[in-house]
Amino acid sequence: MITRRELRLQREAAERAAREQADAARYQKPDARAASRRRSGMPSTGRPGYGGDTSAPEDTATSADLRGFHLILLDDAVEVSDVLALIHNKLPDLRPVLDEHGQMRLSRHSRLSSGVALDPSDAAALEVPDWAQHAIVIDCPRDRQPTPPPDWFADADGLHEAFPAGMPDREEERMLSLMLSVASRLHTGVRLADEPGLPTRVIIPDPEAKIDLYIYSSYWLEPPVVLDFVRRHAPQAFQQALPTPDEDVLAQASIDDPLFDPSAPVILDGYALLVPLGEIDESAGSLEIRVMEAEWVPPIIAAHTDAPQIEYHVHWMDAESKRYQPNQGRRFRRMRSRVAELTDAIGAELLIGSAGIGLDENGFLVTSRQLRA
């Protein structure tokens, strides 16, 4: 399995090169190899158009076949099996294999095709980065909200700009969320299906935007134990003060429950530890480690155990609540990278110490080895 940061340096270099070459590549003529049709496993939809752009690059047989579908773009470091494994994390009832037609049914209304390899002329015609060498096809309904997103709304991945007339809804929203989370984990991108009146839309999610970790375990660890794990990497960590019930609350509890004993020791059903991050940057805020019995268990966890689970959530709270905003500056990204390293180090300690199962913020499995990479 490819780790969440394993491809970062490669991806950043590829994206810089893609931006520099995009204008030139966009108008290249397709080469002779495009003459032979490569089936995507989905029916051809023709070409919806590019809005007001009349100088779009010439189509190839492959690009014409793909334009009507949302695509997960892969480079040469990622296999289709990597995508299937990640989808299995989110939808564990589905076997991570393709059928005899090279497809996987994702839901009643949506299906995935293994897609097709892209040569340079295909990539140019589809107006995708030149690192894109394969396209996985998602066939799903088009469900949209009836009104445009409000002016104040900003989606970290830029969906509010890609869908100015109305954001994806219901089944399409679920499928795009799945596609973008896969692309984020694999450091790749998504090309949205062409629509009349809209330009080509390629979304490359920021893979570092979601750094929270979740650990699920059948073991409850007391605050001093978790604090010891956390302080191995953040000596400044402390336990947040627990609320103390006042006399009126205790009196009411005694009325409601005649057997209530106000002198009995308090049994915790949850607590939180705090890690101030001022040493990293004044805008870094803090990490909060929230410990409680899980009210909801992700399907991939529930598929392996029916025991009650304790959730250990390592949550970042930046001082200005900017972490999910798009187009972050270089200073913020550097700071965020240091916070992510600390988050992973603490998460690895909790994962091993609780004998638990770890998930990243996108809902994909992570191991202590991956977190320590």
Side-chain angles (χ1 to χ4, degrees), residues 4 14-15 41 95 97 113 128 138 156 230-231 237 257 288 307 322:
R4 64 202 292 243
E15 289 174 2
R95 295 180 60 225
V97 295
S113 164
V128 298
I138 304 294
V230 175
R231 282 180 171 170
D257 182 3
E288 188 176 49
K322 294 172 57 177

Side-chain angles (χ1 to χ4, degrees), residues 70-93:
H70 299 317
L71 309 174
I72 302 176
L73 304 173
L74 306 182
D75 62 15
D76 59 359
V78 182
E79 302 289 340
V80 174
S81 59
D82 294 320
V83 175
L84 300 182
L86 291 176
I87 290 176
H88 179 66
N89 281 191
K90 304 278 277 188
L91 304 170
D93 290 339

Side-chain angles (χ1 to χ4, degrees), residues 21-80:
Q21 299 175 13
D23 291 338
R26 187 171 296 175
Y27 301 105
Q28 290 177 355
K29 294 292 183 179
D31 60 30
R33 289 175 295 173
S36 60
R37 187 176 183 83
R38 291 168 294 279
R39 297 298 300 170
S40 67
M42 297 293 181
S44 177
T45 60
R47 185 177 187 183
Y50 284 83
D53 186 356
T54 59
S55 58
E58 185 176 343
D59 246 337
T60 67
T62 296
S63 65
D65 201 34
L66 296 176
R67 289 190 179 281
F69 301 101
H70 299 317
L71 309 174
I72 302 176
L73 304 173
L74 306 182
D75 62 15
D76 59 359
V78 182
E79 302 289 340
V80 174

